[in-house]
Amino acid sequence: MLKKVFRSGFLVRSGHTVLTWLITLVLFLHDTDLRRCEEKGELMQPVVFSLLVLLSVLLYFTVSLMDPGFILTDTVQGPPGAGEEQEAMLPQTAVRRLRRCGYCLLQQPMRAKHCQACQRCVRKFDHHCPWIENCVGEQNHRWFLLYLLVQLGALTWAFHLALSGLSWPQVGLGPWLRAHGVLLGCVGVTGVFSMVVLVLLGCHLYLASTNTTTWEFMSRPRISYLRGWGDGEENPFDRGLLCNLWDFFCVCRTVAWDRVYQRAHRDHV
């Protein structure tokens, strides 16, 4: 794991961590609600805020360093003849042969894709996130969404705290900017990142509720198993809102998406 930390993502992860704790330190040192609570001896808000920030950093490194679902070997096949028997019962349009990746030469299960940045094939590939310097795939997608939720809470709270330290200038604008410039920068940074994380969280909640990935949503016309399905908007993996969310958050095993696809095709016809 240490080797992975010091690879190409080291600067991104270090920058994220330093910026997070730097903003937190600024909020404690300036005349914000946190500082006023400390002076009054009311430690609940400072402690809870610090724990939320710590949780966001821990989740960031969890998502950043964990295996997103890299394919290390060729997909293990079932018992001899089992695949042929299943395929014989289905129309030829429902049968999707595993293809070999043109880069790493491994068999790709359905919904897998080769990531050019990681140089690996990833199960249920969603996207490569430069923010975490890792792919988002089958094994870490739920953790990525949980991280976005916690990060949004920390950012919006920090934005509110930074605003609480600002007041209308009683003197000239120059002295006021010198006194509040750093805090004003925190307002800008936390405000912008709050909007970015909110949009990302909304998009990924929608994708989770429809059992779709970012790659499938953006590249549907170029994906063979989706291109000829239904009227162009249907999704063979969609099992309804509640089932999709249950599978996304609660099912931790590797899913054989080709079998799910075959069952959906059987029900569809």
Side-chain angles (χ1 to χ4, degrees):
M1 182 174 288
L2 287 176
K3 288 183 179 180
K4 193 170 184 179
V5 173
F6 285 98
R7 285 155 87 181
S8 60
F10 174 71
L11 291 179
V12 175
R13 297 181 184 111
S14 299
H16 174 88
T17 306
V18 170
L19 183 62
T20 298
W21 291 114
L22 186 61
I23 291 176
T24 303
L25 182 63
V26 169
L27 295 177
F28 272 98
L29 293 179
H30 281 72
D31 188 25
T32 62
D33 285 347
L34 285 180
R35 182 70 175 271
R36 290 189 280 270
C37 286
E38 281 186 295
E39 292 173 350
K40 295 177 183 177
E42 300 171 359
L43 300 181
M44 178 63 72
Q45 183 174 344
V47 169
V48 173
F49 177 73
S50 300
L51 290 177
L52 183 64
V53 173
L54 178 61
L55 178 61
S56 74
V57 173
L58 292 177
L59 282 173
Y60 172 81
F61 277 97
T62 298
V63 175
S64 179
L65 298 177
M66 75 182 299
D67 181 355
F70 290 131
I71 300 172
L72 303 179
T73 59
D74 278 345
T75 304
V76 179
Q77 302 297 322
E84 288 79 359
E85 291 179 6
Q86 285 184 338
E87 291 179 4
M89 301 170 60
L90 294 167
Q92 288 301 310
T93 53
V95 178
R96 301 284 173 178
R97 297 284 184 180
L98 293 179
R99 68 173 187 173
R100 284 201 177 272
C101 173
Y103 296 95
C104 54
L105 303 179
L106 294 175
Q107 287 183 326
Q108 287 183 336
M110 187 170 284
R111 308 189 83 179
K113 184 181 181 297
H114 186 86
C115 174
Q116 297 284 2
C118 294
Q119 293 297 310
R120 309 278 282 279
C121 285
V122 181
R123 293 181 181 274
K124 199 188 175 189
F125 176 83
D126 188 86
H127 71 288
H128 182 87
C129 180
W131 188 356
I132 63 173
E133 273 297 321
N134 195 12
C135 281
V136 177
E138 189 167 54
Q139 293 187 18
N140 68 345
H141 199 170
R142 64 179 62 84
W143 293 103
F144 179 73
L145 200 149
L146 179 61
Y147 160 68
L148 290 178
L149 182 62
V150 173
Q151 185 70 76
L152 180 62
L155 283 169
T156 51
W157 196 351
F159 178 73
H160 169 75
L161 291 171
L163 284 177
S164 71
L166 298 177
S167 58
W168 290 105
Q170 304 296 323
V171 292
L173 185 60
W176 184 84
L177 284 175
R178 284 193 293 272
H180 297 87
V182 175
L183 203 57
L184 198 60
C186 290
V187 171
V189 171
T190 55
V192 170
F193 277 100
S194 293
M195 294 301 298
V196 172
V197 174
L198 179 61
V199 171
L200 279 174
L201 180 61
C203 290
H204 282 276
L205 280 174
Y206 168 76
L207 292 172
S209 68
T210 58
N211 202 345
T212 309
T213 65
T214 301
W215 172 56
E216 291 171 343
F217 183 80
M218 300 295 293
S219 306
R220 183 184 178 103
R222 298 189 287 111
I223 300 175
S224 59
Y225 59 84
L226 294 179
R227 188 170 54 235
W229 183 271
D231 59 2
E233 297 295 332
E234 295 182 60
N235 176 15
F237 310 110
D238 187 358
R239 299 178 56 227
L241 176 64
L242 294 181
C243 288
N244 289 337
L245 291 177
W246 173 266
D247 291 344
F248 183 86
F249 288 105
C250 302
V251 176
C252 299
R253 57 182 172 79
T254 299
V255 179
W257 292 109
D258 54 334
R259 297 181 183 177
V260 176
Y261 183 90
Q262 291 174 359
R263 285 198 300 268
H265 188 279
R266 207 163 36 229
D267 296 338
H268 186 71
V269 297

